[in-house]
Amino acid sequence: MSSPAEPRIIFTPSGRRGRVPRGTTVLEAARMVGADLASLCGGRGICGRCQMTPVFGTFAKHGISVGPEALSEWSETESAYRRRRGLEPDRRLGCMAKVCGDLLVDVPPESQTHRQVVRKDVDVGKLRLDPVTTLHYVITPPSTLEEAAGDAQRLLRALAEQWGLTEVGVRAEMLGTLQEALREGRGKVTAAVRDGREVVAVWPGFSEVVLGVAVDVGSTTIAGHLADLTTGEILASEGLMNPQVRLGEDLMSRVSYAALNEDGGARLTSLVREAVNELCAGLVESAGAAPESVLEMVVVGNPIMHHLFLGLDVRPLGEAPFTLATDGPVEVSASRVGVDLADAARVYLLPCIAGHVGADAAGMILAERPYESEEITLLCDIGTNAEIVLGNSERLLAASSPTGPALEGAQISSGQRAAPGAIERVRIDPDTLEPRIRVIGIDPWSDEPGFSALEAETQVTGICGSGIIEALSELAAAGVITADGLIDGRAAERSRRVVETGRTFSYILWDQGSEVHVTQNDVRAVQLAKAALLAGARLLMDHLGTDHVDRIRLAGAFGSHLSASHSMALGLIPEISQEGASSAGNAAGTGALMTLLSGECRREIEQITERVEKIETAIEPRFQEHFVEAMSFPGARRSRDGEGRVNQRRSRRGTSRRTRERRR
Amino acid sequence: MSSPAEPRIIFTPSGRRGRVPRGTTVLEAARMVGADLASLCGGRGICGRCQMTPVFGTFAKHGISVGPEALSEWSETESAYRRRRGLEPDRRLGCMAKVCGDLLVDVPPESQTHRQVVRKDVDVGKLRLDPVTTLHYVITPPSTLEEAAGDAQRLLRALAEQWGLTEVGVRAEMLGTLQEALREGRGKVTAAVRDGREVVAVWPGFSEVVLGVAVDVGSTTIAGHLADLTTGEILASEGLMNPQVRLGEDLMSRVSYAALNEDGGARLTSLVREAVNELCAGLVESAGAAPESVLEMVVVGNPIMHHLFLGLDVRPLGEAPFTLATDGPVEVSASRVGVDLADAARVYLLPCIAGHVGADAAGMILAERPYESEEITLLCDIGTNAEIVLGNSERLLAASSPTGPALEGAQISSGQRAAPGAIERVRIDPDTLEPRIRVIGIDPWSDEPGFSALEAETQVTGICGSGIIEALSELAAAGVITADGLIDGRAAERSRRVVETGRTFSYILWDQGSEVHVTQNDVRAVQLAKAALLAGARLLMDHLGTDHVDRIRLAGAFGSHLSASHSMALGLIPEISQEGASSAGNAAGTGALMTLLSGECRREIEQITERVEKIETAIEPRFQEHFVEAMSFPGARRSRDGEGRVNQRRSRRGTSRRTRERRR
């Protein structure tokens, strides 16, 4: 059978096709027709990233017939690769197999440069792997007396000739490493190229490891992922406490610390940097990797963490007009911010949106992509300040609302962080007013077998944010708390758990060993917090001109653990159908990971944040109105007074539908 | 007299002209018609850089008549400026004086942005001042709750609106300084912008000081200038010894030190960096300036100094093929190379040409600009290696030749560096063979009144490079040294100064107290050195296809002190008319200064060095031929043997013309 001089080649799943000269390798053919076939070693049978599967048979649709003779014979290099690293029986190396006749080639996902990253543990959705830093193995010809050229110039020529990278330069800081790598590798080196513009690392010989770290610097915890930038694989995930906590529990107290103490800001900066450095070291160690392999880092955080990490003055963020040093994306060398990674490692910080709406909110927006749908989405990241984003493909609005520390368990009589011993779930029988609780670290509910034994070990130590939300919501539903937030003394007649304490009443949630009460002050603190959050959301709804939202996503450590139904019953968030509200997990961290794995995501969020309209709650008179209104507990069982007024207001908003808690 | 709505305005000396709306300031008018009128403060009557002189009278050539009413009245701001900083009677501030009628404006040199820098002490020729870093005073509007924007974004907007700089970014490292400057200056700040692309420094309020340092890192001495980048003025010039000398006198011994000692290279690097840092500190102190004002630095040096300063491995430069880490221009932050200047200060190193022809040669080429003329110019920078450049507007060739240390006074029996006590000039009476000498640090010649008294103080300690060249040239002319470089024993009959020492003869140049002899070994050492230099020059002439050069410029510490006529008589350089050969001073340092003051010069030399053809003496068989031939002393007086052969050879070259030393 004679074969044409220029056989046809078709790549799936991309569908790219064309005619290529006989004898062209499949890798070259992929480049010629614009199909996506990976390679780190530049077609030398080393990296195995160009694996593909020839598909044999007659394909009427394409008008071709593919037989075994369509590819060159199995090569020595392929045998060597199979012995060394294994190769599935139907696979060939694209850089070795040559086109000899019409051909259909299937490119498996892991051989695609811009492959989709889909993972369960961190929901990055369908992400095209497109890291800012890429690896390129090159053979650099030696300099000779006859044709002398500098190391840098020879490397750049090799990158241009062997990889088509014509716009690259070499940082001066890299030259020493380059000298050494060329000598050790005898001209064979792997170069890491950033943005297609700059050689940022060079290793002798073939190397396929380039890693990145994505870190979410929260005011309480700092969490990060270590990822392989050539595969998108997450190699390790860890978290640690933000050591700044000892200088101030909440954000504003840290700003005060910076303002009132000489070098206070510097001290906060070195604390957070040390913690981030420790986190990175831990991630690298967990994965058994080398810090020098980590070339990329992404950081998200609220504006105060963002500024402290960068060593910037946070005092302007403590007072109106809350001026950021920059609201754009920031890039800085890792060493400059005290993180020990590769010499040339760069840290990318996502843009901040406003003085109270930080890079973490940008990360949340990217992770949730409300701008891709016509549905109106409300995103809330709840902490001392709630960062609230509302909108859809047409408009996006953002605000922050001063929720205060109550929702994180602070300023609550028995409040504590979400840690073992904290009550995190509460159900109260509306008739007997007897509670059932669930405690972090103890699997069964308090009325289930085994609880007592486990509680004896762990012991109930307090109540965390999600617990207090549920407790209040349940107490309101049971008629113990009135619509305007009073613990109704009349409930004391129904249960020994409602007790008078001075001029107000408390509810005894737990009294076996330790005591956890819900006091009138606790109710007031939560009332202020939830009113701030809801008022913020309503203000954005006003600005968007809508009286409903289609979807609510609760992000952050607190938000993710929140029961959506209790939150709505309490009036923490606008009421929508129960399915519409869900947890977004650590959306900020997910957004960080996305920008670590994809340069396209960086450009996307940079453009999106420029479009976000900032609403400043502090200067909006309507915020105060909404706030006052949002003080009420919509889920409160009818009680004689207060009821009418509240319902009247709420019906004006057209959101009088109640969502009843489905009992477990 | 009615004046038109759009009067004509003509600027001299540029000749730019046009019509502008009445009421336009002269500064605005200059921008509108493209005339060159400086301003640092953005037209706020602060900097005074836009001073100009209105010229009154009738100008038939231009068809205009200019009266005092052509400009707006003297303003308060101008009075304030005159009180504060002085203003010549005929001058006005271009930013305050408004065009009210047809106008002729003379822009004095110091008000031109791209002014020509002409100075005597350092010959930079006519240089257009065009520094890479420029100053821009801006008024940055505050951020407000209604219209919030980051500090960086507001500064960039101000730079775009007030200076037309639309492509600028702010380095992350600058953000903290920016916060502080905006606060202190209440929004009024001066920004230093590099390359029109990057804000590299910010000061509160109006600032007009931005400085730069140009440093020539020689193997023996390190010399530098501190210049004001807004005026081109040289504020200080200093030099110090290269402390590496203690680890190796000449370059190759330093390469050996780096090769043979662990951390040898690192030690050499820190020595040179410390010295450069010390030099910079000294320059800044001499000028009473602040190190933070220094934002630019330029460094030239031979390839080994270049690499050691950058902390690169010099071992490849010690053996064929003499591979540079880079032959392109290098930019690196000053802090990275251990120099304490402004935080954002950048160091620019001129490109190297080849493994033995460094950034100093590039500086020399820029300073001498042989590529601008059709004349064939030979540039020589003579040290342990001579860097030789030959060519004209059509072609430029470069080579280095291994002259060895003899010409620097090393390997000479009484040799020493050019320092007080060194014999630097020698005349020998051809009949009596009695010498006259001149000594560094002693003004009169040895036969002039006052010499003895001064010599008693200073004392003759040895002979430096230029002294040995003159001594040998004079001895050859007097017939003491033969054409093939032998001290002729027969001369002992004519003078007690020629004495037998073992199997050879010496000439006693000085014997009063100390002794300075010229030995046969000294002659051989110089003979090898000068043969290398001349052979290199002749090799380049071969490659250029020429048997003559029009102009010879001798650069470097040694070259500048050399007597051109003696050098030619000795056969150190090709013979040309005496006027054709001259000293170029420290041409490398001048080139460095030029690139400090002008970005255009950087681009120019980067382009030129790419064009330079590198000739590698080591692999050219003709180099050996030229070398053997160049061993002879063309200026030797006829002696019975050797004469015929030498003349025969020299006449083959067509350069038999002799230049006789004009006696002082």
Side-chain angles (χ1 to χ4, degrees):
Chain A
M1 192 166 77
S2 78
S3 57
E6 294 225 322
R8 276 169 295 179
I9 184 165
I10 300 168
F11 290 89
T12 63
S14 67
R16 302 304 294 242
R17 66 190 66 197
R19 285 186 181 272
V20 299
R22 214 133 76 84
T24 307
T25 68
V26 172
L27 179 61
E28 283 162 4
R31 290 198 184 147
M32 287 161 77
V33 306
D36 188 6
L37 185 57
S39 174
L40 294 177
C41 71
R44 295 186 174 88
I46 302 172
C47 70
R49 302 292 175 109
C50 63
Q51 290 179 33
M52 49 85 199
T53 307
V55 188
F56 303 113
T58 300
F59 303 95
K61 181 183 152 200
H62 303 307
I64 60 168
S65 191
V66 183
E69 73 291 345
L71 275 180
S72 59
E73 282 184 13
W74 186 256
S75 67
E76 253 315 299
T77 308
E78 285 166 297
S79 298
Y81 181 85
R82 183 162 57 189
R83 278 194 304 275
R84 203 159 39 88
R85 308 183 60 169
L87 192 60
E88 285 178 38
D90 60 342
R91 294 269 179 92
R92 298 285 304 264
L93 294 185
C95 62
M96 289 297 138
K98 294 189 181 101
V99 183
C100 300
D102 290 346
L103 189 62
L104 184 74
V105 163
D106 184 59
V107 181
E110 64 271 27
S111 296
Q112 293 167 23
T113 323
H114 294 123
R115 94 188 59 162
Q116 287 188 349
V117 180
V118 186
R119 48 190 65 262
K120 274 183 202 156
D121 45 348
V122 185
D123 183 15
V124 295
K126 285 190 179 178
L127 181 76
R128 271 181 16 132
L129 184 62
D130 165 35
V132 171
T133 298
T134 49
L135 292 184
H136 305 272
Y137 175 70
V138 288
I139 298 181
T140 311
S143 183
T144 60
L145 279 174
E146 290 77 15
E147 212 170 330
D151 292 335
Q153 286 69 33
R154 282 173 9 257
L155 176 73
L156 296 181
R157 204 181 305 144
L159 282 168
E161 287 170 3
Q162 295 165 36
W163 288 91
L165 292 165
T166 54
E167 305 293 316
V168 192
V170 177
R171 294 172 73 85
E173 295 82 354
M174 277 300 309
L175 291 170
T177 319
L178 175 60
Q179 285 187 308
E180 207 179 316
L182 283 174
R183 187 169 46 75
E184 262 188 57
R186 299 175 174 221
K188 296 176 183 174
V189 297
T190 304
V193 175
R194 192 160 208 274
D195 266 338
R197 286 188 290 107
E198 201 173 43
V199 174
V200 291
V202 189
W203 299 274
F206 174 68
S207 169
E208 56 186 335
V209 182
V210 55
L211 309 179
V213 183
V215 179
D216 175 18
V217 182
S219 18
T220 308
T221 54
I222 302 177
H225 303 290
L226 177 74
D228 182 326
L229 299 186
T230 76
T231 63
E233 196 186 342
I234 294 182
L235 306 177
S237 300
E238 288 187 11
L240 44 73
M241 293 295 291
N242 186 334
Q244 292 177 331
V245 165
R246 78 176 83 118
L247 302 182
E249 276 275 327
D250 59 81
L251 282 172
M252 278 308 138
S253 61
R254 291 183 215 168
V255 175
S256 308
Y257 184 86
L260 300 176
N261 296 276
E262 204 185 337
D263 292 332
R267 185 135 182 244
L268 287 162
T269 291
S270 60
L271 279 175
V272 69
R273 286 180 176 177
E274 279 161 25
V276 170
N277 192 35
E278 194 188 323
L279 178 76
C280 290
L283 286 167
V284 164
E285 203 189 321
S286 297
E292 308 83 57
S293 305
V294 184
L295 279 165
E296 288 291 327
M297 179 165 170
V298 169
V299 168
V300 294
N302 60 57
I304 289 164
M305 285 305 122
H306 172 278
H307 274 43
L308 285 175
F309 180 68
L310 285 175
L312 299 173
D313 190 355
V314 289
R315 289 172 299 177
L317 299 176
E319 59 194 18
F322 313 106
T323 308
L324 291 158
T326 178
D327 48 42
V330 172
E331 254 193 51
V332 66
S333 73
S335 59
R336 182 91 189 192
V337 288
V339 183
D340 301 322
L341 302 173
D343 265 1
R346 302 282 292 170
V347 183
Y348 173 84
L349 291 98
L350 272 70
C352 288
I353 293 167
H356 280 322
V357 188
D360 49 353
M364 174 172 75
I365 293 174
L366 180 65
E368 293 294 318
R369 288 181 161 145
Y371 46 83
E372 283 187 343
S373 158
E374 285 179 23
E375 276 192 345
I376 296 174
T377 301
L378 176 69
L379 306 177
C380 300
D381 191 338
I382 305 165
T384 313
N385 274 287
E387 300 185 342
I388 312 170
V389 175
L390 180 75
N392 60 5
S393 48
E394 277 174 45
R395 287 174 70 192
L396 274 184
L397 292 84
S400 79
S401 210
T403 38
L407 299 181
E408 291 181 322
Q411 293 183 355
I412 299 295
S413 58
S414 299
Q416 70 158 90
R417 285 221 194 75
I423 298 172
E424 59 162 350
R425 298 257 168 273
V426 176
R427 299 291 177 275
I428 292 168
D429 186 300
D431 300 321
T432 64
L433 302 188
E434 279 305 299
R436 297 158 61 226
I437 62 168
R438 195 169 161 182
V439 177
I440 298 179
I442 304 177
D443 206 48
W445 284 74
S446 57
D447 60 348
E448 290 177 338
F451 176 82
S452 299
L454 290 163
E455 198 276 330
E457 268 176 49
T458 305
Q459 298 204 324
V460 170
T461 48
I463 187 163
C464 69
S466 62
I468 194 85
I469 293 294
E470 296 198 1
L472 264 56
S473 172
E474 294 277 321
L475 286 172
V480 178
I481 297 179
T482 64
D484 50 5
L486 207 64
I487 297 182
D488 192 341
R490 285 169 299 181
E493 298 160 17
R494 293 160 55 203
S495 164
R496 64 157 189 101
R497 293 196 172 261
V498 179
V499 295
E500 198 173 350
T501 44
R503 295 167 57 194
T504 57
F505 289 84
S506 290
Y507 174 81
I508 303 168
L509 181 58
W510 180 260
D511 60 357
Q512 295 170 39
S514 57
E515 295 210 335
V516 176
H517 292 198
V518 176
T519 68
Q520 183 62 52
N521 275 342
D522 296 345
V523 180
R524 290 293 178 225
V526 172
Q527 204 173 7
L528 292 171
K530 71 111 191 171
L533 181 63
L534 188 60
R538 292 223 183 277
L539 184 67
L540 293 190
M541 289 164 73
D542 284 357
H543 276 270
L544 197 65
T546 183
D547 62 359
H548 77 284
V549 298
D550 297 309
R551 208 165 67 105
I552 297 179
R553 297 279 284 167
L554 298 170
F558 169 68
S560 317
H561 288 94
L562 220 51
S563 146
S565 54
H566 284 104
S567 304
M568 285 188 255
L570 195 66
L572 182 71
I573 52 175
E575 283 191 44
I576 63 169
S577 76
Q578 201 171 322
E579 311 78 61
S582 54
S583 156
N586 177 9
T590 302
L593 185 64
M594 290 166 76
T595 54
L596 180 67
L597 298 177
S598 160
E600 210 175 294
C601 282
R602 294 190 189 184
R603 291 184 290 277
E604 183 173 316
I605 193 58
E606 286 168 15
Q607 283 165 12
I608 292 294
T609 48
E610 288 202 357
R611 265 179 45 195
V612 173
E613 303 165 45
K614 295 134 211 161
I615 308 300
E616 187 53 62
T617 52
I619 54 167
E620 290 272 352
R622 273 178 301 178
F623 181 76
Q624 288 309 319
E625 288 171 33
H626 282 303
F627 186 85
V628 170
E629 196 172 314
M631 290 283 281
S632 73
F633 288 160
R637 194 199 258 184
R638 287 174 173 273
S639 65
R640 243 152 291 172
D641 42 32
E643 169 78 20
R645 184 169 56 84
V646 169
N647 268 0
Q648 183 191 353
R649 285 215 175 163
R650 296 204 51 262
S651 61
R652 226 177 57 206
R653 297 258 141 232
T655 50
S656 61
R657 173 166 46 85
R658 293 254 176 101
T659 309
R660 282 277 157 213
E661 166 72 341
R662 183 174 53 85
R663 299 273 152 174
R664 182 175 170 283
Chain B
M1 192 165 76
S2 81
S3 55
E6 294 225 323
R8 276 171 294 180
I9 183 164
I10 300 169
F11 289 89
T12 63
S14 68
R16 304 303 296 241
R17 66 191 64 197
R19 287 186 180 274
V20 298
R22 215 133 76 84
T24 307
T25 68
V26 173
L27 179 61
E28 283 162 4
R31 290 196 186 150
M32 288 160 76
V33 305
D36 187 7
L37 186 57
S39 174
L40 295 177
C41 70
R44 296 186 174 87
I46 301 172
C47 71
R49 300 292 175 110
C50 62
Q51 290 180 34
M52 50 85 201
T53 307
V55 188
F56 303 112
T58 300
F59 304 94
K61 181 183 153 199
H62 303 308
I64 59 170
S65 191
V66 183
E69 74 291 346
L71 275 180
S72 59
E73 283 184 11
W74 187 255
S75 67
E76 253 315 300
T77 308
E78 285 167 297
S79 298
Y81 182 85
R82 183 162 59 190
R83 279 194 304 276
R84 202 157 41 85
R85 307 183 61 169
L87 192 59
E88 284 178 38
D90 61 341
R91 294 270 179 94
R92 299 283 307 263
L93 293 184
C95 64
M96 289 296 138
K98 294 189 180 103
V99 182
C100 299
D102 290 345
L103 188 62
L104 184 74
V105 163
D106 183 58
V107 181
E110 64 271 26
S111 296
Q112 294 167 23
T113 322
H114 295 124
R115 93 186 59 163
Q116 287 187 348
V117 179
V118 187
R119 46 191 65 265
K120 274 184 207 157
D121 45 348
V122 185
D123 183 15
V124 296
K126 285 190 177 178
L127 182 76
R128 270 180 18 131
L129 185 63
D130 166 33
V132 171
T133 298
T134 49
L135 292 184
H136 304 273
Y137 175 71
V138 289
I139 298 180
T140 311
S143 185
T144 60
L145 280 175
E146 290 77 12
E147 212 168 330
D151 292 334
Q153 286 68 33
R154 287 179 357 264
L155 175 72
L156 295 181
R157 205 181 304 144
L159 282 168
E161 287 170 5
Q162 295 165 37
W163 287 92
L165 293 165
T166 53
E167 305 292 317
V168 193
V170 178
R171 292 172 75 85
E173 295 82 354
M174 276 301 309
L175 291 169
T177 319
L178 175 61
Q179 285 187 308
E180 208 180 316
L182 283 174
R183 187 170 45 75
E184 262 187 57
R186 297 173 177 226
K188 295 177 183 174
V189 297
T190 303
V193 176
R194 190 162 208 273
D195 265 338
R197 286 187 292 110
E198 201 174 43
V199 175
V200 291
V202 189
W203 300 273
F206 174 69
S207 169
E208 55 186 335
V209 183
V210 56
L211 309 179
V213 184
V215 179
D216 175 18
V217 182
S219 18
T220 308
T221 55
I222 302 177
H225 303 290
L226 178 74
D228 183 327
L229 298 186
T230 77
T231 63
E233 196 186 343
I234 294 183
L235 306 176
S237 300
E238 287 186 13
L240 43 73
M241 292 296 289
N242 186 334
Q244 292 178 331
V245 166
R246 79 176 82 116
L247 301 183
E249 275 276 327
D250 59 82
L251 283 172
M252 279 307 138
S253 62
R254 291 185 214 166
V255 175
S256 306
Y257 184 86
L260 299 176
N261 295 277
E262 207 186 334
D263 292 331
R267 186 134 182 244
L268 287 162
T269 292
S270 61
L271 279 175
V272 69
R273 286 180 176 175
E274 279 161 25
V276 170
N277 192 36
E278 193 189 323
L279 178 76
C280 291
L283 286 166
V284 163
E285 204 189 320
S286 296
E292 308 83 58
S293 305
V294 184
L295 279 165
E296 287 291 328
M297 179 165 172
V298 169
V299 168
V300 293
N302 59 58
I304 290 165
M305 285 305 121
H306 172 278
H307 274 42
L308 286 175
F309 180 68
L310 285 174
L312 298 174
D313 189 354
V314 288
R315 290 172 298 176
L317 299 177
E319 57 193 18
F322 313 107
T323 309
L324 292 158
T326 179
D327 48 43
V330 172
E331 254 192 52
V332 65
S333 73
S335 60
R336 182 90 188 192
V337 288
V339 184
D340 302 322
L341 302 171
D343 265 1
R346 301 283 291 172
V347 183
Y348 173 84
L349 291 97
L350 272 71
C352 288
I353 293 167
H356 280 322
V357 188
D360 49 354
M364 174 174 74
I365 293 174
L366 181 65
E368 292 294 317
R369 287 179 161 148
Y371 47 84
E372 283 186 344
S373 158
E374 287 179 21
E375 276 190 345
I376 296 174
T377 301
L378 176 70
L379 307 176
C380 300
D381 192 338
I382 305 165
T384 311
N385 274 288
E387 298 186 343
I388 312 170
V389 175
L390 179 76
N392 60 4
S393 48
E394 278 175 44
R395 287 173 72 193
L396 273 183
L397 292 85
S400 80
S401 210
T403 38
L407 300 180
E408 290 181 322
Q411 293 184 356
I412 299 294
S413 57
S414 299
Q416 72 157 90
R417 285 223 193 76
I423 298 171
E424 59 162 350
R425 298 256 169 272
V426 177
R427 299 292 179 274
I428 292 170
D429 185 299
D431 300 321
T432 65
L433 302 188
E434 277 307 299
R436 297 158 62 227
I437 60 168
R438 195 167 162 185
V439 176
I440 299 179
I442 304 177
D443 206 45
W445 283 74
S446 58
D447 60 348
E448 288 177 340
F451 175 82
S452 297
L454 289 164
E455 199 276 330
E457 268 176 49
T458 305
Q459 300 202 323
V460 171
T461 50
I463 187 163
C464 70
S466 63
I468 194 83
I469 294 292
E470 296 198 359
L472 264 57
S473 173
E474 294 277 322
L475 287 171
V480 177
I481 296 180
T482 64
D484 50 4
L486 205 65
I487 298 183
D488 193 341
R490 286 167 299 183
E493 298 160 15
R494 293 160 56 202
S495 163
R496 63 154 191 106
R497 292 195 173 261
V498 179
V499 294
E500 198 173 350
T501 45
R503 294 169 58 194
T504 57
F505 289 84
S506 289
Y507 174 81
I508 302 168
L509 182 58
W510 179 260
D511 59 357
Q512 296 171 38
S514 58
E515 296 209 335
V516 176
H517 293 197
V518 177
T519 69
Q520 183 60 53
N521 275 343
D522 295 347
V523 180
R524 291 294 176 222
V526 173
Q527 204 173 5
L528 291 171
K530 71 111 190 170
L533 180 63
L534 187 61
R538 291 226 182 275
L539 184 67
L540 292 190
M541 288 165 73
D542 284 355
H543 276 272
L544 197 65
T546 182
D547 62 0
H548 78 285
V549 299
D550 298 309
R551 209 165 66 104
I552 298 179
R553 297 279 283 168
L554 299 171
F558 168 67
S560 319
H561 289 93
L562 219 51
S563 147
S565 54
H566 283 102
S567 304
M568 283 188 257
L570 194 67
L572 184 70
I573 52 174
E575 282 191 46
I576 63 169
S577 76
Q578 200 172 322
E579 310 79 60
S582 54
S583 157
N586 178 9
T590 302
L593 185 64
M594 290 166 75
T595 54
L596 180 68
L597 297 176
S598 159
E600 211 174 293
C601 281
R602 294 189 189 184
R603 289 184 292 276
E604 184 173 315
I605 193 58
E606 286 168 16
Q607 283 165 12
I608 292 293
T609 49
E610 289 202 357
R611 263 180 45 195
V612 174
E613 303 166 45
K614 295 135 211 161
I615 307 300
E616 186 53 62
T617 51
I619 55 166
E620 290 271 351
R622 273 178 301 178
F623 181 75
Q624 290 308 320
E625 288 171 35
H626 283 304
F627 186 84
V628 171
E629 195 172 315
M631 291 282 282
S632 73
F633 287 163
R637 193 202 257 184
R638 285 171 178 273
S639 65
R640 243 152 294 171
D641 41 32
E643 168 80 20
R645 187 170 53 84
V646 169
N647 268 1
Q648 185 191 352
R649 284 211 178 165
R650 295 201 54 261
S651 60
R652 229 176 54 205
R653 298 258 141 233
T655 50
S656 63
R657 173 166 44 86
R658 294 252 175 104
T659 310
R660 282 278 157 211
E661 164 72 342
R662 186 174 51 85
R663 300 272 152 172
R664 182 177 169 281

